[in-house]
Amino acid sequence: MRTGMASHVASFPQQVPIEAYGNGGFRFAGMSHRGSLLCLPSGLYEWGIGAMSNLNASDFERVFAESDRIGFLLLGVGRKLAMPSPGIRQAFKEANIGLEVMDTGAAARTYNVLLAEGRPLAAALIAVE
């Protein structure tokens, strides 16, 4: 898989549950992915974010492009809870997408439950070791 913000190469062409997380990545659909992950209605994508400290609203361009299919986004911020900047929260408000912030493990588990319920959601998951 290629990394980087510009390409947004789909890792998998549909939303599927997260089977495992940790060791710097995720497992889904029987595949492994090293690095952070965007889980969108159009598929699962690599996400070139390593930590909350560098996160800004432009890192969510792909999310905002699918705003008509997303009711809210689960933001998994790593091992420890940290809140996104006011600019990020404002960008989600302007896009009419709810933003729920939690540690990555909780976000992955919640994503799986809500995906199984058929909810219109997305997740942005920062990889943890």
Side-chain angles (χ1 to χ4, degrees), residues 72-76 98-102 107 110-111 114 121-125:
F72 60 97
L73 177 124
L74 301 169
L75 176 58
L99 179 62
E100 297 292 331
V101 181
M102 52 193 75
T110 303
Y111 170 79
L114 298 176
L121 80 148
L125 307 171

Side-chain angles (χ1 to χ4, degrees), residues 61-76:
E61 288 177 9
R62 180 107 190 164
V63 175
F64 299 142
E66 295 189 35
S67 65
D68 60 330
R69 299 170 59 195
I70 300 170
F72 60 97
L73 177 124
L74 301 169
L75 176 58

Side-chain angles (χ1 to χ4, degrees), residues 44-80:
L44 276 61
Y45 298 83
E46 56 194 329
W47 192 39
I49 301 300
M52 278 290 291
S53 58
N54 301 1
L55 197 61
N56 61 60
S58 66
D59 296 318
F60 297 96
E61 288 177 9
R62 180 107 190 164
V63 175
F64 299 142
E66 295 189 35
S67 65
D68 60 330
R69 299 170 59 195
I70 300 170
F72 60 97
L73 177 124
L74 301 169
L75 176 58
V77 297
R79 289 227 180 261
K80 296 191 183 221

Side-chain angles (χ1 to χ4, degrees), residues 1-90:
M1 290 184 203
R2 294 176 18 196
T3 58
M5 290 296 299
S7 64
H8 290 295
V9 175
S11 298
F12 197 77
Q14 66 187 42
Q15 280 186 308
V16 294
I18 302 299
E19 297 165 359
Y21 65 92
N23 297 320
F26 300 89
R27 282 191 57 76
F28 54 88
M31 300 184 298
S32 294
H33 169 77
R34 184 128 178 99
S36 299
L37 194 62
L38 281 177
C39 306
L40 303 175
S42 63
L44 276 61
Y45 298 83
E46 56 194 329
W47 192 39
I49 301 300
M52 278 290 291
S53 58
N54 301 1
L55 197 61
N56 61 60
S58 66
D59 296 318
F60 297 96
E61 288 177 9
R62 180 107 190 164
V63 175
F64 299 142
E66 295 189 35
S67 65
D68 60 330
R69 299 170 59 195
I70 300 170
F72 60 97
L73 177 124
L74 301 169
L75 176 58
V77 297
R79 289 227 180 261
K80 296 191 183 221
L81 188 60
M83 295 307 290
S85 71
I88 291 172
R89 293 192 307 266
Q90 181 62 34

